[in-house]
Amino acid sequence: MAVVDRGRGVPIKSVVALFFVFFSRSFDLASSLVPDLGSERVVFQTNYGDVEFGFFPDVAPKTVEHIFKLVRLGCYNTNHFFRVDRGFVAQVADVVGGRTAPMNEEQRFEAEKTVVGEFSKVKHVRGILSMGRYSDPNSASSSFSILLGDAPHLDGEYAIFGRVTKGDDTLRKLEELPTRREGIFVMPIERISILSTYYYDMKEDNCQHEKSILKRKLSESAIEIERQRLKCFS
C-alpha cells in the first residue's frame, strides 16, 4: 500500500518517482549544454594580457581540428582583435588579412580553407568561442568571437567550438578600451595585437608540460622574428 500525504492525497512513492525523473532530465539537459573540454589548451598573448581557451571536440570536431591546426602553424601570431563590442563579443580577425607578418604556403593553404557549419545546442554565453561566417552556413574560416555576454539570438546560428579557461581579466580590459562604430561593428581605436600564441596538453606531467610550453614559445617567437627580418631586409 502506498503511503499518502494527507495534506494533498498524493502517494509519496509517486512524488519520489517524479522527483527522480525531473532531476535526471534536468541533469541530462545541463550536461548537454555544458560539453566537456578536450585536454589541449591554447594561449593568445596580447598586448593587454593573455587569454587561454580549450576546445569542444565532441561538439565541433572539424572546426576544432581546423582552428587547432592554424594555432600549431602559428597563423594567429601578429593577428589582432578587430572588434570589441562590450557585453557582446571580442572578435579575432581572419588571419589572411589580419596578420602583420607574411604567411608561408602551408599557413595560407590552411587559412583559406572553410569548414562545414557544426551548429549545436550549446548556448552562447560569456566565455564561449563561436566561429564567424558569412551568410553561407559553411563559410567559416579563421575568424571567431569570444562571447563577452549572453547572446541567445546567436544560438544554433554559429558554430561553438570551445570556451575561455583563463583570462577573463584580460577580456574585461579589452571591454574598457575606447571604440568607434563602423556600420554594425564596434571596433577598438587602438590595435589589440595577438603578439604570439602557444599551446599545451593538460595530460602532460608538470615538468614536461613546462618544458613544452617554453620550447613552443621560443620556437614560435624565433619563427616570427625571422619572418619579420626577411620582410624588412630582403
Side-chain angles (χ1 to χ4, degrees):
M1 180 183 294
V3 179
V4 175
D5 179 343
R6 296 185 183 277
R8 294 180 179 270
V10 180
I12 289 179
K13 284 185 179 180
S14 299
V15 173
V16 172
L18 286 171
F19 171 78
F20 279 111
V21 168
F22 174 78
F23 179 79
S24 62
R25 287 180 179 173
S26 298
F27 182 78
D28 290 342
L29 178 61
S31 299
S32 68
L33 300 181
V34 186
D36 293 332
L37 285 171
S39 60
E40 292 87 3
R41 296 291 182 272
V42 170
V43 179
F44 280 6
Q45 297 180 295
T46 81
N47 50 330
Y48 290 94
D50 294 358
V51 178
E52 179 188 285
F53 56 86
F55 297 113
F56 295 145
D58 295 332
V59 173
K62 294 183 184 298
T63 304
V64 169
E65 180 182 8
H66 174 61
I67 296 297
F68 195 31
K69 186 170 184 180
L70 289 173
V71 171
R72 295 197 305 272
L73 290 172
C75 292
Y76 287 100
N77 295 351
T78 77
N79 197 22
H80 68 117
F81 286 85
F82 82 92
R83 179 185 189 185
V84 179
D85 197 338
R86 186 175 183 178
F88 183 36
V89 296
Q91 188 168 353
V92 177
D94 189 296
V95 299
V96 173
R99 284 168 51 104
T100 57
M103 287 194 292
N104 61 34
E105 186 176 343
E106 185 180 13
Q107 288 174 322
R108 183 169 290 277
F109 177 77
E110 189 65 28
E112 290 179 347
K113 286 182 179 179
T114 55
V115 289
V116 63
E118 296 179 297
F119 309 125
S120 67
K121 294 183 180 179
V122 183
K123 303 298 184 183
H124 283 78
V125 296
R126 186 177 179 90
I128 282 292
L129 308 184
S130 179
M131 290 299 292
R133 65 173 177 84
Y134 296 105
S135 57
D136 181 349
N138 301 319
S139 61
S141 182
S142 60
S143 177
F144 66 88
S145 295
I146 300 176
L147 271 291
L148 301 176
D150 296 353
H153 64 286
L154 302 181
D155 292 347
E157 299 292 330
Y158 295 86
I160 288 174
F161 66 96
R163 69 172 173 82
V164 171
T165 50
K166 293 179 184 177
D168 193 61
D169 55 334
T170 299
L171 297 179
R172 294 192 185 280
K173 287 179 187 176
L174 301 188
E175 289 186 273
E176 296 301 321
L177 295 175
T179 58
R180 60 184 173 84
R181 181 172 288 277
E182 190 170 308
I184 65 169
F185 297 119
V186 177
M187 308 166 75
I189 293 173
E190 299 292 334
R191 183 180 175 90
I192 303 171
S193 296
I194 301 171
L195 304 173
S196 62
T197 64
Y198 66 93
Y199 60 94
Y200 66 94
D201 196 315
M202 296 284 287
K203 291 179 180 177
E204 295 176 350
D205 62 63
N206 289 336
C207 183
Q208 186 63 32
H209 163 74
E210 296 297 333
K211 286 167 63 179
S212 67
I213 289 178
L214 179 59
K215 182 178 179 180
R216 287 168 188 152
K217 280 184 178 180
L218 293 173
S219 174
E220 289 165 6
S221 295
I223 290 170
E224 288 303 322
I225 289 171
E226 179 62 14
R227 285 180 185 148
Q228 291 288 4
R229 186 187 70 78
L230 291 173
K231 179 182 178 182
C232 294
F233 297 103
S234 60

